[in-house]
Amino acid sequence: MQQVVEPPAKAAVFLVLTVNAGSESDVLEVLADAPGLTRSVSFRAPHDGLSAVVGIGAHLWDRLYDLPRPVGLHPFEEIVGAKHRAVSTPGDLLIHLRARRADLCFELARHLVARLADHATVVDEVHGFTYFDERDLLGFVDGTENPEGADAEAAVYIGDEDPAYVGGSYVLVQKYLHDLDAWNALPVEEQERAIGRSKLDDIEMADDIKPANSHVALNTIEDADGNDRQIVRDNMPFGAVGAQEFGTYFIGYAADPDVIEEMLRNMFIGKPPGTYDRILDFSTAKTGALFFVPTADFLEDPAPAEPADAADRDTPADRTTTDGSLGIGSLQHTNGKGTT
Ligand code: HEM
């Protein structure tokens, strides 16, 4: 599979592209070569954790493959609340690059975009950085309650519910811009009530004092049996001081995109309706798109998994590397191939 679960990155590049009409077969070739390009860059800095994840949007899927769509893949539908809107914006391909050094992400982005240059247009490009102790530009530590280990893998990788695409995942991205002047004019206590955690030491508020419109309250969700519905996030701050642009690039991975979409409904419409997420009064979603993340095997040789052997073909519990990557990361390329 592609390396979706990672420790928090130090640097990231997020590219969203649209694919030109008629360029489908060229794009398929670039997708097949993406693991090789990643190895070319990561092998020169093997301890700096470069990884690449490629996602494919619903419209492009139908153009590229004569195969059924993965069950959860659809164009992201905008979510309109009484006050705030989660927009849906164009995107055929998502490229999510992470490393401990910005130069590695930049170099790989350069090579991938050079290969795609005549075939696709970059419609959004964000270079994210680590801000102190994993803080967002609102000043809060972001990522604390991400699931880890087996819980993270269960949250993100498709299992038997879609046998043709076991080991795949879904990823939803939104680029948010913050009104930092307005946010910083709030007393810290009010900021903490918006997030649901303390600012300095990142401790969650007790349930009886955590406001219903806090970010944490609205994003803590359960299924009908009381099990947590979880996603894996790797948000990054970004910005430009001259332009007074201060942002959070939200990226969430899940085995079922409805988990992410339920969180978005809670945030934008509110739970109950009207109790929308207070951070949206200071954060505007400028983009929004959903992608399917196929396995690395699939990128190199597109074919559905055989249902009969799906269980042992490419599952989290049965891969040939130790960290969840089957070839698009950096630390498992000792055989010089890095694929399964
Ligand atoms: C402006 C954009 C956003 C910012 C600045 C932000 C920031 C934060 C912060 C500071 C936390 C608390 C610490 C943590 O557990 O990570 C948090 C938690 C969380 N956020 Fe966000 N977030 C943003 C957007 C989103 C979106 C769009 C979603 C879902 C679609 C989301 C889902 C979650 C979840 C699931 C948690 C953990 C809740 C828990 O179990 O305690 N976030 N976020």
Side-chain angles (χ1 to χ4, degrees), residues 164-213:
Y165 300 111
V166 170
S169 187
Y170 295 90
V171 59
L172 199 148
V173 293
Q174 291 180 301
K175 179 164 85 172
Y176 285 90
L177 294 184
H178 302 298
D179 181 346
L180 273 199
D181 286 343
W183 175 257
N184 288 330
L186 295 181
V188 168
E189 293 72 19
E190 202 177 324
Q191 294 179 353
E192 292 177 332
R193 288 170 56 76
I195 299 290
R197 304 181 72 96
S198 61
K199 190 170 186 180
L200 178 64
D201 47 16
D202 186 32
I203 306 294
E204 186 171 351
M205 284 179 180
D207 285 345
D208 56 340
I209 55 164
K210 189 191 302 155
N213 69 346

Side-chain angles (χ1 to χ4, degrees), residues 240-264:
V241 290
Q244 289 287 288
E245 182 186 82
F246 304 107
T248 295
Y249 201 89
F250 166 79
I251 184 161
Y253 288 94
D256 176 355
D258 185 63
V259 181
I260 317 173
E261 290 165 336
E262 182 180 342
M263 292 172 177
L264 287 175

